[in-house]
Amino acid sequence: MSEAREVLETSEAQIAVHWKEEEYVYPPATFIAQANMTDPGIYERFSLERFPECFKEYADLLDWDQYWHTTLDTSDAPCWKWFVGGKLNASYNCVDRHLAKGKNKAALIFVPEPEDEPHRVVTYQDLYVQVNEVAALLQDYAGLKAGDRVTIHMPMVPELPVTMLACARLGVIHSVVFAGFSGRACGERIADSGSRVLISMDGYYRNGTLLDHKVKADEALQVAAQEGQAVEKVLVWRRFRGQYVSQAPMREGRDAFMDELLPKYRGQRVAPVSMPAEAPLFLMYTSGTTGRPKGCQHSTGGYLAYVTATAKYVLDIHPEDVYWCMADIGWITGHSYIVYGPLALGTASVLYEGVPTYPDAGRPWRIAEQLGVDIFHTAPTSIRMLRKAGPEEPKKYNYRFKLMVTVGEPIEPDVWRWYHEVVGKGQAVIVDTWWQTETGGFLCSTMPALHPMKPGSAGPAMPGIHPVIYDEEGQEIPPGAGKAGNICIRNPWPGAFQTIWGDRERYVSTYYAKYCKNKDSKDWRDWPYFTGDGAFQAADGYYRILGRVDDVINVAGHRLGTKELESAALTVEEVAEAAVVPVVDELKGRAPDMYVSLKPGYAPSKAIEEKVIQAIETIIGKIARPKHVYIVPDMPKTRSGKIMRRVLAAISNTMDVGDVTTLANPEVVEEVRRMVQGERAVATQEGPEDIRRFGEER
Ligand code: PRX
């Protein structure tokens, strides 16, 4: 790749950047000709001088029952209120308003995991009928009303968005918990949100197995009860109508099957409740491994306006598209960019039940071919996994993507190029969208018809988002400085979460305290939003994200971005995945330990280990030389596919690996542990704070 480079002179407050600049890749003319956003003037219209009124342009994409009188109310800083005085309903905007022109159009296309089970199309008319009937049930049977919270613990089936939209119709605040989470995690979230009702499902397919899901509901209720929250009703959807696939008993008087209750509500219609713009639409918990989970509270008007506009301009969604986001609805990506954004735009959103590599690595491309998917949205971890399992697979299928999305972690330029050339067949535009659960929608990305792409860089900030990079002392790091720092956003925006549910103090201390200029101020200029990510800005204004600042490895006083090291390891031909963790080193304080897995057809060897070390020394420098390179059969991963660096760090440092039962592949942990520590029993030691916090899932 690049010639050896010296470590830049950086202080403890800064992070050195060793990455070389990548070449631009330009969007094809055919894409530009049909794009929703081709006016470069949008950045001028959303300049800081025009803030906050500029965001009217986004809000105008929605149907309002009543217009707002105040665009941004800062009187309760830093809890910002958008479009105050305005009223609207999210379910009306995602469903009813499309009926006049598109009731017969697909809203959701459900693809079951078993390949012989046909896909199911839910039209906008179907969605309207189902959302109304479920809303009637929630209102009359479960006694739910505006402002109540409901926990929804459901897999990727169309009944999930139906249930969310039914809540939204009533102004009920939904809290969707990722189905892969344990009953305990669900129970903690039920308690934190104060939900009286849990909506669950009996089972679903994952990796060829029909999983029992209802058992988790029982555990969840126990945990919630221990935390003082009683749940009165458990509503259970069934994967197959009239057939119960769970072993868990139904508790008389508490549990009920949705398919048995629903016929009583046939034909019922519920008028959408006109909600204040700043009323909470949902809670989304970020999954910390330590401390209580944080319930990010998102608003109705600001959130919906922001995700609708960004889905339209960045994802380039038109009503005619077939759009497939492979994320799970249990994460923010699914909320914003499977459900609310795409449906507000009246498009067809594909929901896939299972894992992308089931039964083989060709599955996503067969789905794309069969449904005519033209916008494809996924994460680097899936891209790496699909490349590892079937590098040539996409070529066998006849699909055509106009746009592809990557989200969730920095993408290595090498992986980006495979995505572009092989998956996108060199024709699709890629948007690398950087954002967070807390931010509701995208913060940085290229505008696909306006900017060239740069592999590995998210791109410029979104219109109306004004980032600033601070070092630890609060000094601004200018573009092109070759140094990274803490990326913050100078101004509020409508998609931002409103607070942490029930814990305003934690909201302020986590996200606003660090660089606040005056904590009594009601002026938004005094309250930069702290993202917790490290980033640097190139001279051309593009942002490149290094990952969580907590994940930085401090080697002999040099703060190394983990992503850079992993990126370097991935330039080695044989390497499929790489994860780096800090290991205690007597001399340097911390040293990097590198874990890699190989592409199929390669066997572990000393030579490959050597190549990885060589690559890191050449690309980053000798300072970053890994203490060990471990070639592992697979990485321990969460159910959403993120590599569990926390677990690897614990293994490297002979610390307790903690609870790994919720991982996608818990058996790998023991295998890797044995490989690193040998057969001896695990010596559990506390370990230093930075290593304990390293790689914390959020
Ligand atoms: O570190 C950033 C990384 O994921 C974090 C947010 O995670 P979560 O709240 O789970 O939301 C994921 C979906 C938005 C960020 O703080 N991240 C997200 N997108 C990118 C990214 N890092 C680099 N590039 C991205 N495109």
Side-chain angles (χ1 to χ4, degrees), residues 286 332-333 406-410 432-438 531 533 545 547-548 642 698:
T286 57
I332 191 69
T333 305
T406 167
V407 63
E409 56 175 313
D432 181 346
T433 59
W434 169 68
W435 58 298
Q436 311 176 302
T437 303
E438 294 86 341
T531 67
D533 278 343
I545 309 297
R548 311 291 308 161
K642 291 200 184 189
R698 292 170 19 86

Side-chain angles (χ1 to χ4, degrees), residues 172-361:
V172 169
I173 303 167
H174 59 70
S175 167
V176 177
V177 176
F178 173 53
F181 274 158
S182 62
R184 161 159 293 278
C186 179
E188 286 164 356
R189 286 156 178 74
I190 290 174
D192 190 81
S193 62
S195 302
R196 293 184 290 113
V197 175
L198 169 67
I199 307 180
S200 183
M201 184 146 181
D202 61 344
Y204 63 103
Y205 283 100
R206 204 177 157 82
N207 220 0
T209 313
L210 186 56
L211 299 180
D212 188 334
H213 188 65
K214 166 65 165 63
V215 286
K216 292 185 178 177
D218 297 334
E219 191 194 344
L221 262 55
Q222 258 179 15
V223 171
Q226 280 161 15
E227 297 199 8
Q229 180 63 36
V231 172
E232 294 151 21
K233 290 204 157 51
V234 180
L235 302 174
V236 182
W237 288 97
R238 289 197 276 196
R239 178 65 172 75
F240 302 100
R241 194 161 292 211
Q243 187 190 331
Y244 187 48
V245 300
S246 167
Q247 299 300 316
M250 293 289 281
R251 170 91 82 77
E252 185 74 38
R254 187 196 70 182
D255 303 357
F257 291 127
M258 288 296 282
D259 58 319
E260 284 180 3
L261 296 173
L262 273 171
K264 292 190 207 107
Y265 300 91
R266 183 167 299 134
Q268 292 214 9
R269 301 290 177 261
V270 177
V273 178
S274 202
M275 297 299 292
E278 73 275 20
L281 178 62
F282 66 85
L283 307 180
M284 167 59 63
Y285 283 87
T286 57
S287 53
T289 43
T290 51
R292 264 188 323 130
K294 295 177 276 189
C296 295
Q297 176 185 317
H298 282 282
S299 73
T300 306
Y303 170 82
L304 196 62
Y306 197 72
V307 299
T308 304
T310 48
K312 178 163 182 166
Y313 302 139
V314 178
L315 305 181
D316 198 50
I317 289 177
H318 300 63
E320 312 76 67
D321 289 315
V322 179
Y323 165 81
W324 181 20
C325 172
M326 282 208 320
D328 194 285
I329 294 175
W331 307 118
I332 191 69
T333 305
H335 275 50
S336 300
Y337 299 115
I338 296 179
V339 180
Y340 286 110
L343 295 182
L345 294 169
T347 200
S349 189
V350 176
L351 250 72
Y352 173 54
E353 180 179 30
V355 298
T357 47
Y358 182 85
D360 56 69

Side-chain angles (χ1 to χ4, degrees), residues 597-608:
S597 70
L598 304 181
K599 292 177 188 160
Y602 292 110
S605 69
K606 265 265 159 275
I608 297 177

Side-chain angles (χ1 to χ4, degrees), residues 482-493:
K483 292 170 188 172
N486 297 318
I487 184 166
C488 298
I489 312 296
R490 292 181 197 272
N491 59 300
W493 65 100

